[in-house]
Amino acid sequence: MEARAAANHRIARITSHLQPPNFKDGGDVLVERAECRAKGGAPGFKVAILGAAGGIGQSLSLLMKINPLVSVLHLYDVVNTPGVTADVSHMDTGAVVRGFLGQPQLEGALTGMDLVIIPAGVPRKPGMTRDDLFKINAGIVKTLCEGIAKFCPNAIVNLISNPVNSTVAISAEVFKKAGTYDPKRLLGVTTLDVVRANTFVAEVLGVDPREVDVPVVGGHAGVTILPLLSQVKPPSSFTAEEVEYLTNRIQNGGTEVVEAKAGAGSATLSMAYAAAKFADACLRGLKGEAGVVECSFVQSQVTELPFFATKVRLGRGGAEEVFQLGPLNEYERIGLEKAKQELAESIQKGIDFIRK
Ligand SMILES: NC(=O)C1=CN([C@@H]2O[C@H](COP(=O)(O)OP(=O)(O)OC[C@H]3O[C@@H](n4cnc5c(N)ncnc54)[C@H](O)[C@@H]3O)[C@@H](O)[C@H]2O)C=CC1
Ligand SMILES: O=C([O-])CC(=O)C(=O)O
């Protein structure tokens, strides 16, 4: 009772100054309460979103705020986090939300986090490839990962910023340099490719997309996105025309959205959904749930490349098991060779950015 009175006193003091509570020590009171709740009830994880005020970041903040596995949600960006934080923090769900603005507040945003999700960086406009974003996004990802290495080296990292085929390699190099690299904890987010594949395949089959599971392997750009239609669940067969149509549509799903948005950015809503789905899987793994399997772009020995997306089993340590490709048909074997060629260059570009 006394603790509650003290907490209320502090909140009253802060609100009387009309300060957003999450930017002052009132946030600490709320976080303490969340931690108490977490101790007494369901376990809660601490999650940070870097780039939280962006197109993906805002919707993702909303979706993580309604995830019952999250007890504390840190929203970091270089602009506009006070508004996004005030807005999201009014939702009557369990997670306590705190906002952090700009580089000087990166330490506060990251300290103590279990999971860090990174959608920071510029999106494509029509006519651009994901690789065209490298120039700007490589530096952003480098800076943020240097912060992670310093302030929450044991956190699981979900990397969304494009080009994912290069930014994952950049992050790995930053962590290696800092001596904190654990390949199991660095995961490139390719869930949107799977989400799209499930949707498009379900349309062709005339079934509910929730009943469909399409493994998508390789990477996250053009021909490096390789849907394995021969392994679709439930087992299904496709005509050669259907395979061609589905493969092209899945590989170009991002471009389809970029063109439809006509200069206003790339996929944000479906991406936030995909990122929330993947983050939830990571949190369920962290909690110790068995059999959590998702596709992700991770350090891998499945091919000769250092990173590759396949199904991985998520556990307390992150990507605890990286699954093999399984049997491929001729069409997929040809696709795999093309994917590997482009991937090799993108990965090397990321490595060189840090080493050179
Ligand atoms: N992995 C995937 O499947 C997908 C990846 N993306 C990528 O996600 C990224 C973000 O996309 P959107 O949210 O649409 O872009 P956006 O421009 O709407 O938002 C990006 C946010 O990042 C912030 N930001 C910039 N520099 C930062 C820094 N140093 N620290 C923290 N935040 C910083 C910006 O202020 C902005 O709020 C892009 O690189 C995009 O290509 C987009 C869709 C799918
Ligand atoms: O296409 C883009 O630039 C954004 C992205 O990665 C996607 O939607 O898959």
Side-chain angles (χ1 to χ4, degrees), residues 5 65 107-108 148 156 183 217 235 253 298 310-311 317 350:
K65 173 75 168 109
E107 176 173 359
I148 292 169
I156 306 275
V217 302
V298 293
T310 49
K311 286 195 170 183

Side-chain angles (χ1 to χ4, degrees), residues 140-184:
I140 293 173
V141 168
K142 173 176 180 277
T143 307
L144 295 175
C145 287
E146 284 166 353
I148 292 169
K150 217 162 157 187
F151 305 124
C152 56
N154 295 322
I156 306 275
V157 176
N158 288 181
L159 192 51
I160 296 170
S161 317
N162 270 317
V164 168
N165 292 353
S166 302
T167 53
V168 169
I170 291 173
S171 307
E173 289 302 310
V174 170
F175 295 150
K176 279 180 200 166
K177 227 173 170 176
T180 65
Y181 183 50
D182 176 353
K184 294 196 294 297

Side-chain angles (χ1 to χ4, degrees), residues 46-177:
K46 296 180 180 179
V47 177
I49 300 176
L50 313 183
I56 296 167
Q58 291 201 29
S59 299
L60 181 57
S61 300
L62 179 155
L63 292 170
M64 296 316 289
K65 173 75 168 109
I66 61 177
N67 187 316
L69 294 177
V70 181
S71 60
V72 174
L73 182 61
H74 282 189
L75 306 183
Y76 173 85
D77 203 302
V78 291
V79 293
N80 297 340
T81 32
V84 175
T85 305
D87 191 353
V88 171
S89 72
H90 290 184
M91 294 166 64
D92 60 352
T93 60
V96 168
V97 188
R98 307 172 88 197
F100 301 86
L101 183 62
Q103 181 76 19
Q105 296 191 2
L106 185 60
E107 176 173 359
L110 291 175
T111 302
M113 292 299 106
D114 301 302
L115 171 68
V116 180
I117 313 174
I118 314 184
V122 290
R124 280 201 284 166
K125 288 193 185 327
M128 292 171 81
T129 67
R130 290 180 182 82
D131 185 59
D132 293 333
L133 306 171
F134 187 99
K135 251 198 187 118
I136 299 180
N137 290 352
I140 293 173
V141 168
K142 173 176 180 277
T143 307
L144 295 175
C145 287
E146 284 166 353
I148 292 169
K150 217 162 157 187
F151 305 124
C152 56
N154 295 322
I156 306 275
V157 176
N158 288 181
L159 192 51
I160 296 170
S161 317
N162 270 317
V164 168
N165 292 353
S166 302
T167 53
V168 169
I170 291 173
S171 307
E173 289 302 310
V174 170
F175 295 150
K176 279 180 200 166
K177 227 173 170 176

Side-chain angles (χ1 to χ4, degrees), residues 314-325:
L314 298 162
R316 290 189 198 279
E320 289 185 342
E321 190 178 356
V322 177
F323 293 108
Q324 295 298 316
L325 283 168

Side-chain angles (χ1 to χ4, degrees), residues 2 100 103 115 121 141 171 189 211 250 297 304 326 330 332 351:
E2 254 174 47
F100 301 86
Q103 181 76 19
L115 171 68
V141 168
S171 307
V189 181
E211 287 161 17
I250 295 161
F297 186 67
E304 62 276 26
E330 180 63 9
E332 291 160 353
I351 294 171

